[in-house]
Every structure is written in C-alpha cells, then in structure tokens.
Amino acid sequence: MADLPLGPQSPVSELRAALQSGTLSAESLTQRTLENIEGTDEDVGAWIRTSGEPALAAAVEVDARRSRGESLGPLAGIPVGVKDMICTRGVETTAASKMLAGFVPPYDATVVSRLRAAGAIPIGKLNQDEFAMGSSNENSAFGVVRNPWDTDRVPGGSSGGSAAAIAAGQVPLTLGTDTGGSIRQPASFCGVVGFKPTYGRVSRYGVVAFASSLDQVGPLAANVADAAELLEVLSGHDPLDSTSIPEAPLQLTTEVERPITGMRVGVPEEYFGEGLDPEVESIVRSAIAGLESQGAELVPVALPHTSYAVATYYVIATAEASSNLSRYDGVRYTHRTDRVEDLRSLYERSRAEGFGAEVKRRIILGTYALSSGYYDAYYLKAQRVRTLITRDFQRAFETCDVLAAPVAPTTAFALGARTADPLQMYLQDILTIPASLAGLPCGSVPCGLDSSGLPVGMQLIAPALEEATLVRASAAVERHCGFANRRPGGGDS
Amino acid sequence: MDIDIDQVAALARLDLSTEEREVLGGQLRSILEHVDQLSAVDTEGVEATRHPIPLATPLREDSRGEHLSHDEALANAPESDGSSFVVPRVV
C-alpha cells in the first residue's frame, strides 16, 4: 500500500501539500474518494449515503477559489465523512432510524458549518447504531457495519461507520458522536484515533439528541495530528447551544510534537480488573511503559466508584433519551403510520413502527426510571452517584495530569455474538462510561494488535478543558507504538 | 420487582405487541436488578449532578433573528395543508 498515489487513505498533511502545490485538485480527490467508497463499501457498510453532487460542487468551488488566490481554510478540499446523527442541509439525515427516513434538514449542524468554513468537503453520511444506541453497530436500520480488520467482526458502536471508514481508507477524516464511548470504542476496535472533547467544547446544535448531558461530537482519523486538527476546527463557543463553553477554538497542532517529559500519567487499577482480556491488558501496559520511557512518571490512582458507572449511565442516558425521543411523534418531520384512528393511535403506532428494538428498550427503561414514584430511586440516585464518579476523577487529577487505561475489555467481537442479552452488551461499556459521566476530554489511540491481528486501543482521559494534554499524551502513545496511518493488510499510507 | 409494562408503554406512547411486552418486561427487570446495586452507595448529602460542566445560563438579546421560513419548516411534514401540520380531528 506504500506505493498508492495520494488519495482518501492519505494523511491530511500530505493531501494539503499536494492540493496547495497544485499537483492534486479538490475535484479529483473528491471524485476519487466517491469512486473508492462505491468500490469498497459493499464489504464494509460504513456509509448510509454519499452526497456526490453537492460534494463535487463544493470541491470545484475550492479549486476555483484557490486558482483566484483567495485565502482558504485549513481543511480546504479535504473530504470528511459525517455520522448520520449530524444534520446536513439538503442531505437526508436519519440517525440510522426508519423514524427519520426521508428527513432532509433545512439547516446545517454547527459542526458542519465549521467544516464548510474550513474548506472541508462533507462527502456523505456514515452508518451508526440507531439514534447512537449500541456498542456494535448492529442496531442500524440500514444494515450492520463490518470491521475492516476482520469482516466477520463488529466495528464497535455507535460510531461504527465513522471508525470503519477511516480503517478502510475510504476517507481521511470523520465526525462521530460519543455519549458513553461511541467514538472511543469503535476507534479502538478499528485501530484508528478518536477523541471525545470536554462536554460543551463542541457545539451540539443540529446534532440529533440522545442523552443531552452526555452527547459530544468528536473527530476520528488515522493519526493523532489529523484528529487534533479536526478537533481544532470543530471547537469553540456557539451561541446556538446553551451548554457550549464560552472559550476560543482550541490550538492543538503544536501539542503533537511536544515531549511528555515530567508528565504524570495516572494508572487506575480499577480499569485493569476482572473481565479484561489478558492480551489487551499486556498490550496496553506495554504502551504505558512506552510513555514512561519517554520521560513520563507513572502514578497509581484509585477510581473507587468505577463499578457503579454502567448502572448510573443506563439510568441517566435512557431517562434523557426517553424525554428527547418524545419529539418523534409522527406529526412534524417523522415517519407516520398508515393505521391512524385518532391522535393517540397516530403517536403510538408511528413510534412503534419507526423505532427499532434497542431504541424501544431504552425508551421503556428511561420512561420507567422517570415515572411517578421511581424518579428519586433511579434518576436522582444515579445523578448523585454521578457526582461521586466525577469526584473520583477530581481526586485522581490532584496527583496526575492524564489517565491511561484500556478502552474496552476485549478486541472486536464477532457479529451476532452479543445481541441476545442487552445487559451483557451494556457491560462492555464499563471503561468508557465513567469519563462520559464526568464530562471529561478523552480518546482512543491504537497501540497494537492482538494475536488474532485485531487492534487494541489505549484510552487517555484528561481533566476538563485539558484537550492539549490529551493530544500531547496521545501523540506520545502513537510515537511509541508506530501505529499512525496503519491499515488492515499490514500496510500504511 | 413490580413492573406494569402496559402502563410504561402507555406513558412512552409506544404501541407494543404482546410479544414485545413480554420480552421487554423481562429485560427491564434484569437491567433494573443490575441498577439496584446503586442503592448500596452512600449518597447522603451528595448533590445530584445537574450539569457535567457547570455554566451560568446564557441569555441572548431579545431581538429578532433569522429563522426557518414557513415552507422550510413544513417541508418534512408527513401531512400539511401548506400553512399548518395536519393531525386527525381532536375536537
């Protein structure tokens, strides 16, 4: 693969250099990207739809502006895939649900506006678990996504398409969303880099709401520098999102080269407990040793409430989801049943027909947790335990600058292996959920392959607003493990 | 554990089949059994998290902005009469 010409599998820095020097046009790169998806996606299923026409028009515009000598944004001409949770003006957006089939947003999400302002070319919509509810990408109304490292295995979820498209070399950058691990876990399973920023760092305006106190948009890419650069573009205050942090956009690209000498890396022993695959443990521990060899100091830390995180999350996230998803009523912009008798049957049947099994399960659980007589015992209790989980992190960060741990207890599992028991699937999220509950910036960086040739990711978690530390530590992992731009088949770009 | 799945489905406005009610009722029970471990955590005097990153409520100026046009707002409606969303008669 080393001999491949520049294309969608290439790092952003190389594409940008070629675009700037004129050896590559945005139009031809976009065309090649679309053709490559067309030719390769049957085996992967990462895309729900591509938007070739508007993408090519945007690329032609970038080329024209460049030829006129106008100043262009940092991602001018670079194709980007967008998770289907994120509204794209004029391009169908479904959250992988039958409920939203045919929905064409009349506006762009703020993150999409920012992509366009940076000159990036939104090229299509990526497959995911329906309404981002799932850890395997087996809950999409548009079919499963397959892991490019082994197509009999899941890519992880819910941003499975966003991770698989990078791993398959279909596109250099994608947007995912992360509520309880939905960027980090698929990034880990597919051997790519993914970041979930601090809650509020990136606007949620125009993003289909799942659990509003947890949802964040973040970047995925084949190397740390590209993911960091995309996060810069996405970040910054947005008056259209009342939870948006009033801070200037991040400056992260300089962090990639900075040494980590003296950085205190916390190792939470609770993340290396029962259920962790021994191969995953040894690969992650060896990558942590790689941080020490670069001058970091390892510090043992305790996060004693970790074992309560899954229960806490599945109360809070489903409660918020049951409320958020009440908007899908069959009246304004959603699926409507043909079997209408009265207004109530219109609601109940439209929702029963439009939602898939996992979405119904979570609406039922959330409705129960919020229902009269149970609110205190479930929702309020969970929000109190959430405070304790957040305090665990605050205490840990008194003695360290960043935490290093596995992302998931195992590597990618087989398609269909875990669909029978929802609780067992939920328990897979044990290592990613705590940082989500605390709103912390975190990410997954590939650090090796297990004996079956499947990628293992290292999770890094930083204090709130410390994305710079997150990127610096991630780049150090990447330097040690040599996984940048690595793809299935052993080649890199 | 006492769960009235019919009542929960009614609150959620979901027209579930008999089979779905049975399956979901059982799964809800097993998930709630797992959730019950939270009752063992001492949360006496612990504030509930309202917002993961506390911020003051931002207020914008009370002035007119640009918004979706009528046609754009109705464009995705399953049924509209050109000026309103249409639903079955309620009165």
Side-chain angles (χ1 to χ4, degrees):
Chain A
M1 281 176 75
D3 298 318
L4 273 181
L6 278 182
Q9 82 293 343
S10 305
V12 169
S13 54
E14 292 178 22
L15 292 172
R16 181 165 41 225
L19 287 160
Q20 284 171 346
S21 70
T23 55
L24 179 69
S25 73
E27 185 185 6
S28 73
L29 176 59
T30 301
Q31 188 67 48
R32 212 179 299 165
T33 303
L34 289 163
E35 283 165 11
N36 179 267
I37 292 168
E38 182 80 37
T40 57
D41 204 46
E42 204 178 323
D43 298 333
V44 184
W47 300 80
I48 293 179
R49 68 194 68 79
T50 52
S51 46
E53 223 172 280
L56 283 165
V60 167
E61 172 73 18
V62 165
D63 289 334
R65 290 184 55 195
R66 199 186 298 281
S67 70
R68 291 197 296 266
E70 292 177 31
S71 89
L72 296 168
L75 298 179
I78 308 290
V80 180
V82 178
K83 188 179 183 181
D84 209 30
M85 286 294 267
I86 299 170
C87 283
T88 40
R89 184 183 179 126
V91 175
E92 191 180 352
T93 298
T94 65
S97 181
K98 274 200 309 200
M99 181 58 95
L100 282 167
F103 172 66
V104 180
Y107 61 92
D108 276 328
T110 295
V111 287
V112 174
S113 306
R114 293 205 167 148
L115 286 181
R116 294 192 205 281
I121 313 291
I123 200 155
K125 305 306 289 284
L126 291 157
N127 207 346
Q128 56 166 88
D129 285 298
E130 183 180 2
F131 286 106
M133 297 177 185
S135 309
S136 65
N137 219 125
E138 294 170 292
N139 298 332
S140 167
F142 297 90
V144 300
V145 179
R146 293 169 181 277
N147 191 319
W149 291 84
D150 177 349
T151 51
D152 291 330
R153 291 177 187 268
V154 303
S158 70
S159 306
S162 303
I166 301 284
Q170 294 174 326
V171 70
L173 299 171
T174 60
L175 300 189
T177 64
D178 191 314
T179 302
S182 281
I183 289 173
R184 287 161 283 160
Q185 186 252 22
S188 177
F189 280 13
C190 291
V192 305
V193 178
F195 292 132
K196 182 201 86 76
T198 308
Y199 179 83
R201 180 66 90 177
V202 173
S203 169
R204 292 183 296 112
Y205 177 74
V207 181
V208 175
F210 161 14
S212 299
S213 77
L214 296 156
D215 299 341
Q216 269 294 285
V217 176
L220 293 97
N223 61 73
V224 170
D226 288 0
E229 184 165 12
L230 180 52
L231 179 51
E232 281 187 351
V233 165
L234 302 176
S235 67
H237 181 244
D238 179 12
L240 297 174
D241 174 358
S242 67
T243 60
S244 168
I245 297 169
E247 297 243 1
L250 289 161
Q251 299 292 325
L252 296 171
T253 43
T254 49
E255 297 296 331
V256 175
E257 304 293 332
R258 282 184 66 192
I260 57 160
T261 319
M263 187 183 277
R264 298 167 303 164
V265 176
V267 183
E269 281 313 311
E270 289 84 356
Y271 283 53
F272 292 86
E274 199 188 333
L276 179 63
D277 179 276
E279 269 197 89
V280 171
E281 169 161 9
S282 95
I283 291 167
V284 170
R285 285 205 191 268
S286 122
I288 293 175
L291 294 175
E292 195 177 20
S293 70
Q294 293 177 62
E297 179 197 339
L298 303 188
V299 183
V301 296
L303 299 169
H305 292 92
T306 300
S307 64
Y308 299 109
V310 172
T312 302
Y313 173 85
Y314 276 94
V315 171
I316 293 169
T318 59
E320 293 182 11
S322 73
S323 170
N324 271 326
L325 271 59
S326 66
R327 74 190 67 185
Y328 301 108
D329 56 7
V331 173
R332 290 160 300 161
Y333 51 88
T334 58
H335 168 74
R336 177 182 287 196
T337 181
D338 293 330
R339 301 173 298 135
V340 179
E341 283 166 36
D342 51 20
L343 191 56
R344 179 145 184 151
S345 69
L346 183 156
Y347 294 149
E348 293 185 336
R349 289 174 186 169
S350 298
R351 289 164 62 77
E353 292 168 7
F355 292 136
E358 181 61 30
V359 176
K360 288 179 188 175
R361 183 153 43 240
R362 296 202 194 188
I363 290 174
I364 289 291
L365 177 56
T367 302
Y368 180 81
L370 290 179
S371 62
S372 175
Y374 299 101
Y375 175 87
D376 284 6
Y378 290 108
Y379 189 71
L380 194 61
K381 182 76 184 184
Q383 290 286 41
R384 290 198 163 121
V385 179
R386 182 179 188 176
T387 302
L388 295 175
I389 290 169
T390 303
R391 284 187 196 161
D392 280 357
F393 282 109
Q394 287 165 347
R395 211 158 291 144
F397 286 128
E398 287 169 8
T399 60
C400 69
D401 304 306
V402 67
L403 297 166
V407 176
T410 65
T411 51
F413 45 88
L415 284 160
R418 303 215 173 134
T419 44
D421 182 352
L423 181 59
Q424 287 311 310
M425 188 74 98
Y426 298 168
L427 290 170
Q428 296 306 305
D429 302 339
I430 174 73
L431 305 178
T432 49
I433 279 175
S436 293
L437 289 168
L440 302 175
C442 46
S444 174
V445 187
C447 57
L449 298 176
D450 72 1
S451 52
S452 316
L454 297 168
V456 174
M458 188 205 280
Q459 180 173 212
L460 293 156
I461 304 170
L465 304 177
E466 292 295 334
E467 278 85 356
T469 306
L470 173 67
V471 167
R472 192 142 65 100
S474 299
V477 172
E478 186 175 78
R479 274 195 299 276
H480 176 76
C481 301
F483 214 95
N485 307 311
R486 207 158 144 191
R487 298 268 167 39
D492 56 30
S493 66
Chain B
M1 195 173 294
D2 177 33
I3 296 167
D4 182 349
I5 189 74
D6 295 335
Q7 194 221 351
V8 182
L11 286 171
R13 299 290 187 272
L14 278 172
D15 179 29
L16 301 176
S17 67
T18 315
E19 198 199 335
E20 281 177 314
R21 277 166 213 261
E22 215 161 282
V23 172
L24 284 173
Q27 290 172 339
L28 181 58
R29 222 160 271 129
S30 100
I31 294 166
L32 289 173
E33 275 165 24
H34 176 79
V35 166
D36 272 342
Q37 63 172 286
L38 295 184
S39 58
V41 184
D42 181 5
T43 52
E44 188 69 39
V46 177
E47 285 254 337
T49 298
R50 306 265 174 224
H51 197 288
I53 307 291
L55 292 175
T57 303
L59 298 173
R60 65 165 172 78
E61 267 192 42
D62 187 15
S63 59
R64 281 177 58 173
E66 269 189 47
H67 297 286
L68 291 182
S69 70
H70 216 82
D71 288 347
E72 283 175 310
L74 287 171
N76 284 293
E79 192 181 351
S80 79
D81 64 4
S83 66
S84 307
F85 299 106
V86 174
V87 296
R89 176 173 287 277
V90 284
V91 283

